[in-house]
Amino acid sequence: MSIAFTFPGQGSQAVGMGRDLAEAFPEARAVFQEVDEALNQPLSKLMWEGPEDELTLTANAQPALMAVSLAAIRVMEKEGFRLQDKVAYVAGHSLGEYSALAAAGTFSLSDTARLLRIRGNAMQAAVPVGEGAMAAIIGLEAADVEEVCASAAKGAICQIANDNGGGQLVISGARSAVEEAARLASERGAKRAIMLPVSAPFHSALMGPAAERMREALAEVQKNAPAVPVIANVTVSPLTDPEEIAARLVEQVTGRVRWRETVEWFGGNGVHTLYEVGSGKVLTGLARRINRDLNAVAVNTPADIEAVLKAL
């Protein structure tokens, strides 16, 4: 039986994130300083003091979440932890896949921060504000949601963006189509169909320009084989080849985050414990709903890190 590390995605950010790590550990402070320098921005000040609406902006939230995850990893490494000695796989939810790859050594910390800033800006710029939308559909199976999206599309883009498990799917695309799909989902028996307060239709075909920008950016950075395989969002398969990893990251911009299948893959491939490294506990909650046999543990405070180091 083995262990996997998972890394959270957008929505797990909160004002104050990572501050306790920075106060407790010089290794964590060094991570936040390096990210600030890579972005030429006092991002850590925004993370710890807000304002929340500025932290929530995609271009800020993405590198900020990565920084907290990597701060926790660096603290563990200072205590002698080596990913390849204790962990079989890594995976991350959307932007968290970049955090996973940084933790596994595929990208440097500075390059990961810059890639996520490019990704956030490119995703925001791909569609004029107001033209795209996303909605959470609770309580319908994926096949039913796919049918609802097809019925609502009428030539526009409307697709499943995230299959988060536990009966939670997120759809994305043109605003009119997503609104119609949400209405149809409610008629079909969804427990809830909620329009989300997001600024762009992430993980939809409308993100095509952002995918091309990421193809360019990923071609320019140093890429190493990860210390352990990464389970890619779009293929739910273990990858170790740097060029294939980059290709799947490009695909991920417009493709579905297959998180339910990822957790199921772990359960079917000998993983018994998932540690969620970084801000919040979203993935831990999802894992418990998807597969109750998995031990799911959130790691984001000094006490959490101490407990994990003892358990590993």
Side-chain angles (χ1 to χ4, degrees), residues 74 83 90 97-109 111-112 115 218 221-230 239-246 249:
R74 295 289 182 263
L83 195 74
V90 293
E97 193 164 328
Y98 287 81
S99 307
L101 289 163
T106 294
F107 302 126
S108 72
L109 176 62
D111 280 346
T112 309
L115 284 169
L218 286 159
V221 300
Q222 171 68 36
K223 296 177 284 291
N224 306 307
V228 300
V230 60
L239 305 182
T240 55
D241 177 72
E243 293 306 323
E244 185 177 4
I245 286 168
L249 288 173

PDB file of all heavy atoms in Angstrom, residues 74 83 90 97-109 111-112 115 218 221-230 239-246 249:
ATOM      1  N   ARG A  74       8.862  22.323   1.327  1.00  0.00           N
ATOM      2  CA  ARG A  74      10.243  22.708   1.676  1.00  0.00           C
ATOM      3  C   ARG A  74      10.510  22.531   3.170  1.00  0.00           C
ATOM      4  O   ARG A  74      11.616  22.136   3.564  1.00  0.00           O
ATOM      5  CB  ARG A  74      10.519  24.154   1.256  1.00  0.00           C
ATOM      6  CG  ARG A  74      10.479  24.386  -0.244  1.00  0.00           C
ATOM      7  CD  ARG A  74      11.668  23.767  -0.960  1.00  0.00           C
ATOM      8  NE  ARG A  74      11.621  24.035  -2.385  1.00  0.00           N
ATOM      9  CZ  ARG A  74      11.151  23.196  -3.305  1.00  0.00           C
ATOM     10  NH1 ARG A  74      10.688  21.999  -2.939  1.00  0.00           N
ATOM     11  NH2 ARG A  74      11.143  23.528  -4.579  1.00  0.00           N
ATOM     12  N   LEU A  83      10.497  13.184  -1.317  1.00  0.00           N
ATOM     13  CA  LEU A  83       9.258  12.733  -1.956  1.00  0.00           C
ATOM     14  C   LEU A  83       9.394  11.317  -2.503  1.00  0.00           C
ATOM     15  O   LEU A  83       8.533  10.456  -2.277  1.00  0.00           O
ATOM     16  CB  LEU A  83       8.899  13.716  -3.085  1.00  0.00           C
ATOM     17  CG  LEU A  83       7.485  13.632  -3.644  1.00  0.00           C
ATOM     18  CD1 LEU A  83       6.481  14.226  -2.658  1.00  0.00           C
ATOM     19  CD2 LEU A  83       7.389  14.376  -4.979  1.00  0.00           C
ATOM     20  N   VAL A  90       1.975  11.912  -7.315  1.00  0.00           N
ATOM     21  CA  VAL A  90       1.451  13.241  -6.998  1.00  0.00           C
ATOM     22  C   VAL A  90       0.357  13.572  -8.003  1.00  0.00           C
ATOM     23  O   VAL A  90       0.328  13.050  -9.120  1.00  0.00           O
ATOM     24  CB  VAL A  90       2.538  14.334  -7.024  1.00  0.00           C
ATOM     25  CG1 VAL A  90       3.536  14.135  -5.900  1.00  0.00           C
ATOM     26  CG2 VAL A  90       3.250  14.399  -8.377  1.00  0.00           C
ATOM     27  N   GLU A  97      -1.930  20.947 -10.365  1.00  0.00           N
ATOM     28  CA  GLU A  97      -1.038  20.050 -11.092  1.00  0.00           C
ATOM     29  C   GLU A  97       0.349  20.689 -11.245  1.00  0.00           C
ATOM     30  O   GLU A  97       1.369  19.996 -11.217  1.00  0.00           O
ATOM     31  CB  GLU A  97      -1.635  19.700 -12.450  1.00  0.00           C
ATOM     32  CG  GLU A  97      -0.934  18.548 -13.137  1.00  0.00           C
ATOM     33  CD  GLU A  97      -1.745  17.946 -14.279  1.00  0.00           C
ATOM     34  OE1 GLU A  97      -3.004  17.941 -14.208  1.00  0.00           O
ATOM     35  OE2 GLU A  97      -1.126  17.481 -15.244  1.00  0.00           O
ATOM     36  N   TYR A  98       0.381  22.012 -11.369  1.00  0.00           N
ATOM     37  CA  TYR A  98       1.670  22.717 -11.411  1.00  0.00           C
ATOM     38  C   TYR A  98       2.365  22.631 -10.050  1.00  0.00           C
ATOM     39  O   TYR A  98       3.582  22.458  -9.984  1.00  0.00           O
ATOM     40  CB  TYR A  98       1.459  24.181 -11.803  1.00  0.00           C
ATOM     41  CG  TYR A  98       1.122  24.383 -13.262  1.00  0.00           C
ATOM     42  CD1 TYR A  98      -0.172  24.189 -13.735  1.00  0.00           C
ATOM     43  CD2 TYR A  98       2.098  24.778 -14.169  1.00  0.00           C
ATOM     44  CE1 TYR A  98      -0.491  24.373 -15.064  1.00  0.00           C
ATOM     45  CE2 TYR A  98       1.788  24.971 -15.513  1.00  0.00           C
ATOM     46  CZ  TYR A  98       0.491  24.765 -15.957  1.00  0.00           C
ATOM     47  OH  TYR A  98       0.185  24.951 -17.288  1.00  0.00           O
ATOM     48  N   SER A  99       1.615  22.776  -8.973  1.00  0.00           N
ATOM     49  CA  SER A  99       2.192  22.624  -7.630  1.00  0.00           C
ATOM     50  C   SER A  99       2.778  21.229  -7.456  1.00  0.00           C
ATOM     51  O   SER A  99       3.876  21.070  -6.925  1.00  0.00           O
ATOM     52  CB  SER A  99       1.119  22.860  -6.559  1.00  0.00           C
ATOM     53  OG  SER A  99       0.455  24.090  -6.742  1.00  0.00           O
ATOM     54  N   ALA A 100       2.036  20.222  -7.915  1.00  0.00           N
ATOM     55  CA  ALA A 100       2.508  18.836  -7.824  1.00  0.00           C
ATOM     56  C   ALA A 100       3.814  18.663  -8.583  1.00  0.00           C
ATOM     57  O   ALA A 100       4.762  18.013  -8.102  1.00  0.00           O
ATOM     58  CB  ALA A 100       1.446  17.886  -8.370  1.00  0.00           C
ATOM     59  N   LEU A 101       3.890  19.249  -9.769  1.00  0.00           N
ATOM     60  CA  LEU A 101       5.096  19.119 -10.598  1.00  0.00           C
ATOM     61  C   LEU A 101       6.266  19.895 -10.007  1.00  0.00           C
ATOM     62  O   LEU A 101       7.416  19.453 -10.101  1.00  0.00           O
ATOM     63  CB  LEU A 101       4.783  19.579 -12.021  1.00  0.00           C
ATOM     64  CG  LEU A 101       3.863  18.627 -12.791  1.00  0.00           C
ATOM     65  CD1 LEU A 101       3.258  19.312 -14.005  1.00  0.00           C
ATOM     66  CD2 LEU A 101       4.629  17.366 -13.209  1.00  0.00           C
ATOM     67  N   ALA A 102       5.995  21.024  -9.392  1.00  0.00           N
ATOM     68  CA  ALA A 102       7.068  21.761  -8.710  1.00  0.00           C
ATOM     69  C   ALA A 102       7.582  20.963  -7.518  1.00  0.00           C
ATOM     70  O   ALA A 102       8.796  20.867  -7.286  1.00  0.00           O
ATOM     71  CB  ALA A 102       6.568  23.129  -8.265  1.00  0.00           C
ATOM     72  N   ALA A 103       6.663  20.351  -6.763  1.00  0.00           N
ATOM     73  CA  ALA A 103       7.064  19.534  -5.618  1.00  0.00           C
ATOM     74  C   ALA A 103       7.915  18.353  -6.064  1.00  0.00           C
ATOM     75  O   ALA A 103       8.845  17.935  -5.366  1.00  0.00           O
ATOM     76  CB  ALA A 103       5.833  19.035  -4.867  1.00  0.00           C
ATOM     77  N   ALA A 104       7.611  17.820  -7.260  1.00  0.00           N
ATOM     78  CA  ALA A 104       8.328  16.649  -7.779  1.00  0.00           C
ATOM     79  C   ALA A 104       9.566  17.027  -8.594  1.00  0.00           C
ATOM     80  O   ALA A 104      10.247  16.147  -9.117  1.00  0.00           O
ATOM     81  CB  ALA A 104       7.389  15.806  -8.634  1.00  0.00           C
ATOM     82  N   GLY A 105       9.841  18.338  -8.704  1.00  0.00           N
ATOM     83  CA  GLY A 105      11.076  18.776  -9.345  1.00  0.00           C
ATOM     84  C   GLY A 105      11.022  18.937 -10.848  1.00  0.00           C
ATOM     85  O   GLY A 105      12.060  19.164 -11.482  1.00  0.00           O
ATOM     86  N   THR A 106       9.842  18.859 -11.451  1.00  0.00           N
ATOM     87  CA  THR A 106       9.751  19.058 -12.903  1.00  0.00           C
ATOM     88  C   THR A 106      10.037  20.509 -13.277  1.00  0.00           C
ATOM     89  O   THR A 106      10.736  20.792 -14.249  1.00  0.00           O
ATOM     90  CB  THR A 106       8.366  18.630 -13.421  1.00  0.00           C
ATOM     91  OG1 THR A 106       8.243  17.223 -13.249  1.00  0.00           O
ATOM     92  CG2 THR A 106       8.188  18.955 -14.898  1.00  0.00           C
ATOM     93  N   PHE A 107       9.486  21.439 -12.495  1.00  0.00           N
ATOM     94  CA  PHE A 107       9.731  22.868 -12.700  1.00  0.00           C
ATOM     95  C   PHE A 107      10.390  23.448 -11.449  1.00  0.00           C
ATOM     96  O   PHE A 107      10.120  22.994 -10.329  1.00  0.00           O
ATOM     97  CB  PHE A 107       8.415  23.632 -12.919  1.00  0.00           C
ATOM     98  CG  PHE A 107       7.591  23.149 -14.065  1.00  0.00           C
ATOM     99  CD1 PHE A 107       6.260  22.791 -13.874  1.00  0.00           C
ATOM    100  CD2 PHE A 107       8.110  23.067 -15.346  1.00  0.00           C
ATOM    101  CE1 PHE A 107       5.474  22.360 -14.927  1.00  0.00           C
ATOM    102  CE2 PHE A 107       7.336  22.635 -16.412  1.00  0.00           C
ATOM    103  CZ  PHE A 107       6.018  22.270 -16.202  1.00  0.00           C
ATOM    104  N   SER A 108      11.202  24.469 -11.640  1.00  0.00           N
ATOM    105  CA  SER A 108      11.726  25.208 -10.492  1.00  0.00           C
ATOM    106  C   SER A 108      10.599  26.024  -9.863  1.00  0.00           C
ATOM    107  O   SER A 108       9.562  26.288 -10.491  1.00  0.00           O
ATOM    108  CB  SER A 108      12.855  26.146 -10.922  1.00  0.00           C
ATOM    109  OG  SER A 108      12.325  27.246 -11.653  1.00  0.00           O
ATOM    110  N   LEU A 109      10.796  26.444  -8.622  1.00  0.00           N
ATOM    111  CA  LEU A 109       9.795  27.258  -7.928  1.00  0.00           C
ATOM    112  C   LEU A 109       9.528  28.554  -8.682  1.00  0.00           C
ATOM    113  O   LEU A 109       8.371  28.928  -8.920  1.00  0.00           O
ATOM    114  CB  LEU A 109      10.278  27.552  -6.499  1.00  0.00           C
ATOM    115  CG  LEU A 109       9.388  28.473  -5.666  1.00  0.00           C
ATOM    116  CD1 LEU A 109       8.006  27.867  -5.459  1.00  0.00           C
ATOM    117  CD2 LEU A 109      10.050  28.763  -4.314  1.00  0.00           C
ATOM    118  N   ASP A 111      10.081  29.319 -11.863  1.00  0.00           N
ATOM    119  CA  ASP A 111       9.415  29.060 -13.144  1.00  0.00           C
ATOM    120  C   ASP A 111       7.949  28.716 -12.941  1.00  0.00           C
ATOM    121  O   ASP A 111       7.085  29.133 -13.729  1.00  0.00           O
ATOM    122  CB  ASP A 111      10.117  27.919 -13.898  1.00  0.00           C
ATOM    123  CG  ASP A 111      11.369  28.380 -14.627  1.00  0.00           C
ATOM    124  OD1 ASP A 111      11.568  29.602 -14.782  1.00  0.00           O
ATOM    125  OD2 ASP A 111      12.157  27.507 -15.030  1.00  0.00           O
ATOM    126  N   THR A 112       7.637  27.967 -11.892  1.00  0.00           N
ATOM    127  CA  THR A 112       6.243  27.598 -11.643  1.00  0.00           C
ATOM    128  C   THR A 112       5.417  28.838 -11.330  1.00  0.00           C
ATOM    129  O   THR A 112       4.287  28.982 -11.829  1.00  0.00           O
ATOM    130  CB  THR A 112       6.128  26.601 -10.475  1.00  0.00           C
ATOM    131  OG1 THR A 112       7.028  25.509 -10.692  1.00  0.00           O
ATOM    132  CG2 THR A 112       4.717  26.048 -10.369  1.00  0.00           C
ATOM    133  N   LEU A 115       4.909  30.649 -14.621  1.00  0.00           N
ATOM    134  CA  LEU A 115       3.963  29.923 -15.470  1.00  0.00           C
ATOM    135  C   LEU A 115       2.519  30.144 -15.007  1.00  0.00           C
ATOM    136  O   LEU A 115       1.617  30.339 -15.829  1.00  0.00           O
ATOM    137  CB  LEU A 115       4.281  28.426 -15.457  1.00  0.00           C
ATOM    138  CG  LEU A 115       5.483  27.963 -16.268  1.00  0.00           C
ATOM    139  CD1 LEU A 115       5.826  26.512 -15.937  1.00  0.00           C
ATOM    140  CD2 LEU A 115       5.233  28.110 -17.776  1.00  0.00           C
ATOM    141  N   LEU A 218       5.379  26.949 -21.847  1.00  0.00           N
ATOM    142  CA  LEU A 218       5.946  25.673 -21.399  1.00  0.00           C
ATOM    143  C   LEU A 218       7.118  25.237 -22.274  1.00  0.00           C
ATOM    144  O   LEU A 218       8.018  24.533 -21.805  1.00  0.00           O
ATOM    145  CB  LEU A 218       4.860  24.599 -21.379  1.00  0.00           C
ATOM    146  CG  LEU A 218       3.860  24.729 -20.222  1.00  0.00           C
ATOM    147  CD1 LEU A 218       2.562  23.999 -20.526  1.00  0.00           C
ATOM    148  CD2 LEU A 218       4.471  24.222 -18.921  1.00  0.00           C
ATOM    149  N   VAL A 221      10.561  26.805 -20.773  1.00  0.00           N
ATOM    150  CA  VAL A 221      11.109  26.560 -19.433  1.00  0.00           C
ATOM    151  C   VAL A 221      11.826  25.213 -19.370  1.00  0.00           C
ATOM    152  O   VAL A 221      11.532  24.289 -20.134  1.00  0.00           O
ATOM    153  CB  VAL A 221      10.010  26.604 -18.337  1.00  0.00           C
ATOM    154  CG1 VAL A 221       9.330  27.949 -18.295  1.00  0.00           C
ATOM    155  CG2 VAL A 221       8.995  25.490 -18.509  1.00  0.00           C
ATOM    156  N   GLN A 222      12.749  25.131 -18.420  1.00  0.00           N
ATOM    157  CA  GLN A 222      13.437  23.867 -18.149  1.00  0.00           C
ATOM    158  C   GLN A 222      12.453  22.876 -17.541  1.00  0.00           C
ATOM    159  O   GLN A 222      11.726  23.208 -16.597  1.00  0.00           O
ATOM    160  CB  GLN A 222      14.591  24.119 -17.172  1.00  0.00           C
ATOM    161  CG  GLN A 222      15.272  22.876 -16.636  1.00  0.00           C
ATOM    162  CD  GLN A 222      16.044  22.127 -17.706  1.00  0.00           C
ATOM    163  OE1 GLN A 222      16.627  22.739 -18.586  1.00  0.00           O
ATOM    164  NE2 GLN A 222      16.035  20.801 -17.643  1.00  0.00           N
ATOM    165  N   LYS A 223      12.417  21.658 -18.088  1.00  0.00           N
ATOM    166  CA  LYS A 223      11.512  20.625 -17.589  1.00  0.00           C
ATOM    167  C   LYS A 223      12.323  19.372 -17.271  1.00  0.00           C
ATOM    168  O   LYS A 223      13.075  18.893 -18.124  1.00  0.00           O
ATOM    169  CB  LYS A 223      10.436  20.297 -18.636  1.00  0.00           C
ATOM    170  CG  LYS A 223       9.502  21.441 -18.947  1.00  0.00           C
ATOM    171  CD  LYS A 223       8.494  21.102 -20.036  1.00  0.00           C
ATOM    172  CE  LYS A 223       9.094  21.112 -21.429  1.00  0.00           C
ATOM    173  NZ  LYS A 223       9.471  22.452 -21.894  1.00  0.00           N
ATOM    174  N   ASN A 224      12.164  18.871 -16.060  1.00  0.00           N
ATOM    175  CA  ASN A 224      12.844  17.653 -15.631  1.00  0.00           C
ATOM    176  C   ASN A 224      11.814  16.541 -15.421  1.00  0.00           C
ATOM    177  O   ASN A 224      10.633  16.806 -15.189  1.00  0.00           O
ATOM    178  CB  ASN A 224      13.582  17.892 -14.307  1.00  0.00           C
ATOM    179  CG  ASN A 224      14.523  19.071 -14.393  1.00  0.00           C
ATOM    180  OD1 ASN A 224      15.365  19.150 -15.281  1.00  0.00           O
ATOM    181  ND2 ASN A 224      14.370  20.019 -13.470  1.00  0.00           N
ATOM    182  N   ALA A 225      12.278  15.302 -15.487  1.00  0.00           N
ATOM    183  CA  ALA A 225      11.393  14.185 -15.142  1.00  0.00           C
ATOM    184  C   ALA A 225      11.020  14.302 -13.669  1.00  0.00           C
ATOM    185  O   ALA A 225      11.879  14.572 -12.819  1.00  0.00           O
ATOM    186  CB  ALA A 225      12.083  12.855 -15.409  1.00  0.00           C
ATOM    187  N   PRO A 226       9.763  14.143 -13.299  1.00  0.00           N
ATOM    188  CA  PRO A 226       9.370  14.250 -11.894  1.00  0.00           C
ATOM    189  C   PRO A 226       9.963  13.121 -11.058  1.00  0.00           C
ATOM    190  O   PRO A 226      10.184  12.014 -11.562  1.00  0.00           O
ATOM    191  CB  PRO A 226       7.843  14.165 -11.942  1.00  0.00           C
ATOM    192  CG  PRO A 226       7.541  13.409 -13.201  1.00  0.00           C
ATOM    193  CD  PRO A 226       8.623  13.815 -14.169  1.00  0.00           C
ATOM    194  N   ALA A 227      10.216  13.405  -9.794  1.00  0.00           N
ATOM    195  CA  ALA A 227      10.782  12.407  -8.887  1.00  0.00           C
ATOM    196  C   ALA A 227       9.850  11.211  -8.721  1.00  0.00           C
ATOM    197  O   ALA A 227      10.310  10.083  -8.486  1.00  0.00           O
ATOM    198  CB  ALA A 227      11.071  13.044  -7.523  1.00  0.00           C
ATOM    199  N   VAL A 228       8.543  11.458  -8.826  1.00  0.00           N
ATOM    200  CA  VAL A 228       7.531  10.389  -8.836  1.00  0.00           C
ATOM    201  C   VAL A 228       6.516  10.731  -9.915  1.00  0.00           C
ATOM    202  O   VAL A 228       6.385  11.894 -10.301  1.00  0.00           O
ATOM    203  CB  VAL A 228       6.826  10.242  -7.463  1.00  0.00           C
ATOM    204  CG1 VAL A 228       7.821   9.914  -6.364  1.00  0.00           C
ATOM    205  CG2 VAL A 228       6.042  11.503  -7.105  1.00  0.00           C
ATOM    206  N   PRO A 229       5.788   9.753 -10.443  1.00  0.00           N
ATOM    207  CA  PRO A 229       4.832  10.051 -11.518  1.00  0.00           C
ATOM    208  C   PRO A 229       3.733  11.015 -11.067  1.00  0.00           C
ATOM    209  O   PRO A 229       3.280  10.992  -9.920  1.00  0.00           O
ATOM    210  CB  PRO A 229       4.241   8.676 -11.854  1.00  0.00           C
ATOM    211  CG  PRO A 229       5.246   7.689 -11.367  1.00  0.00           C
ATOM    212  CD  PRO A 229       5.866   8.304 -10.155  1.00  0.00           C
ATOM    213  N   VAL A 230       3.298  11.864 -12.001  1.00  0.00           N
ATOM    214  CA  VAL A 230       2.145  12.730 -11.774  1.00  0.00           C
ATOM    215  C   VAL A 230       0.939  12.111 -12.476  1.00  0.00           C
ATOM    216  O   VAL A 230       1.055  11.607 -13.594  1.00  0.00           O
ATOM    217  CB  VAL A 230       2.400  14.158 -12.299  1.00  0.00           C
ATOM    218  CG1 VAL A 230       2.689  14.174 -13.791  1.00  0.00           C
ATOM    219  CG2 VAL A 230       1.213  15.081 -11.977  1.00  0.00           C
ATOM    220  N   LEU A 239       2.297   9.962 -15.492  1.00  0.00           N
ATOM    221  CA  LEU A 239       3.221  10.490 -16.491  1.00  0.00           C
ATOM    222  C   LEU A 239       4.577  10.796 -15.861  1.00  0.00           C
ATOM    223  O   LEU A 239       4.644  11.271 -14.724  1.00  0.00           O
ATOM    224  CB  LEU A 239       2.672  11.777 -17.117  1.00  0.00           C
ATOM    225  CG  LEU A 239       1.286  11.738 -17.753  1.00  0.00           C
ATOM    226  CD1 LEU A 239       0.945  13.095 -18.349  1.00  0.00           C
ATOM    227  CD2 LEU A 239       1.196  10.652 -18.810  1.00  0.00           C
ATOM    228  N   THR A 240       5.633  10.532 -16.629  1.00  0.00           N
ATOM    229  CA  THR A 240       6.985  10.877 -16.175  1.00  0.00           C
ATOM    230  C   THR A 240       7.790  11.595 -17.255  1.00  0.00           C
ATOM    231  O   THR A 240       8.820  12.190 -16.949  1.00  0.00           O
ATOM    232  CB  THR A 240       7.770   9.622 -15.743  1.00  0.00           C
ATOM    233  OG1 THR A 240       7.777   8.682 -16.829  1.00  0.00           O
ATOM    234  CG2 THR A 240       7.138   8.966 -14.513  1.00  0.00           C
ATOM    235  N   ASP A 241       7.348  11.542 -18.498  1.00  0.00           N
ATOM    236  CA  ASP A 241       8.088  12.193 -19.583  1.00  0.00           C
ATOM    237  C   ASP A 241       7.778  13.694 -19.593  1.00  0.00           C
ATOM    238  O   ASP A 241       6.611  14.090 -19.719  1.00  0.00           O
ATOM    239  CB  ASP A 241       7.690  11.589 -20.922  1.00  0.00           C
ATOM    240  CG  ASP A 241       8.378  12.295 -22.078  1.00  0.00           C
ATOM    241  OD1 ASP A 241       9.590  12.102 -22.243  1.00  0.00           O
ATOM    242  OD2 ASP A 241       7.698  13.070 -22.790  1.00  0.00           O
ATOM    243  N   PRO A 242       8.808  14.551 -19.478  1.00  0.00           N
ATOM    244  CA  PRO A 242       8.567  15.990 -19.361  1.00  0.00           C
ATOM    245  C   PRO A 242       7.796  16.588 -20.535  1.00  0.00           C
ATOM    246  O   PRO A 242       6.940  17.461 -20.329  1.00  0.00           O
ATOM    247  CB  PRO A 242       9.976  16.580 -19.264  1.00  0.00           C
ATOM    248  CG  PRO A 242      10.808  15.477 -18.714  1.00  0.00           C
ATOM    249  CD  PRO A 242      10.243  14.225 -19.292  1.00  0.00           C
ATOM    250  N   GLU A 243       8.074  16.143 -21.751  1.00  0.00           N
ATOM    251  CA  GLU A 243       7.375  16.714 -22.906  1.00  0.00           C
ATOM    252  C   GLU A 243       5.908  16.294 -22.927  1.00  0.00           C
ATOM    253  O   GLU A 243       5.033  17.088 -23.294  1.00  0.00           O
ATOM    254  CB  GLU A 243       8.079  16.313 -24.208  1.00  0.00           C
ATOM    255  CG  GLU A 243       9.458  16.917 -24.365  1.00  0.00           C
ATOM    256  CD  GLU A 243       9.484  18.437 -24.224  1.00  0.00           C
ATOM    257  OE1 GLU A 243       8.535  19.094 -24.688  1.00  0.00           O
ATOM    258  OE2 GLU A 243      10.450  18.963 -23.618  1.00  0.00           O
ATOM    259  N   GLU A 244       5.629  15.049 -22.533  1.00  0.00           N
ATOM    260  CA  GLU A 244       4.223  14.630 -22.468  1.00  0.00           C
ATOM    261  C   GLU A 244       3.495  15.378 -21.359  1.00  0.00           C
ATOM    262  O   GLU A 244       2.334  15.775 -21.521  1.00  0.00           O
ATOM    263  CB  GLU A 244       4.098  13.117 -22.258  1.00  0.00           C
ATOM    264  CG  GLU A 244       2.647  12.672 -22.319  1.00  0.00           C
ATOM    265  CD  GLU A 244       2.448  11.176 -22.185  1.00  0.00           C
ATOM    266  OE1 GLU A 244       3.436  10.446 -21.970  1.00  0.00           O
ATOM    267  OE2 GLU A 244       1.289  10.746 -22.294  1.00  0.00           O
ATOM    268  N   ILE A 245       4.173  15.583 -20.234  1.00  0.00           N
ATOM    269  CA  ILE A 245       3.572  16.349 -19.139  1.00  0.00           C
ATOM    270  C   ILE A 245       3.187  17.740 -19.630  1.00  0.00           C
ATOM    271  O   ILE A 245       2.077  18.229 -19.371  1.00  0.00           O
ATOM    272  CB  ILE A 245       4.560  16.432 -17.953  1.00  0.00           C
ATOM    273  CG1 ILE A 245       4.621  15.078 -17.239  1.00  0.00           C
ATOM    274  CG2 ILE A 245       4.153  17.538 -16.979  1.00  0.00           C
ATOM    275  CD1 ILE A 245       5.757  14.961 -16.241  1.00  0.00           C
ATOM    276  N   ALA A 246       4.091  18.395 -20.357  1.00  0.00           N
ATOM    277  CA  ALA A 246       3.808  19.734 -20.870  1.00  0.00           C
ATOM    278  C   ALA A 246       2.622  19.718 -21.828  1.00  0.00           C
ATOM    279  O   ALA A 246       1.748  20.594 -21.783  1.00  0.00           O
ATOM    280  CB  ALA A 246       5.046  20.306 -21.555  1.00  0.00           C
ATOM    281  N   LEU A 249      -0.534  19.507 -19.902  1.00  0.00           N
ATOM    282  CA  LEU A 249      -0.843  20.775 -19.237  1.00  0.00           C
ATOM    283  C   LEU A 249      -1.491  21.756 -20.206  1.00  0.00           C
ATOM    284  O   LEU A 249      -2.374  22.532 -19.825  1.00  0.00           O
ATOM    285  CB  LEU A 249       0.426  21.395 -18.642  1.00  0.00           C
ATOM    286  CG  LEU A 249       0.996  20.707 -17.402  1.00  0.00           C
ATOM    287  CD1 LEU A 249       2.336  21.324 -17.025  1.00  0.00           C
ATOM    288  CD2 LEU A 249       0.027  20.767 -16.220  1.00  0.00           C
TER     289      LEU A 249
END
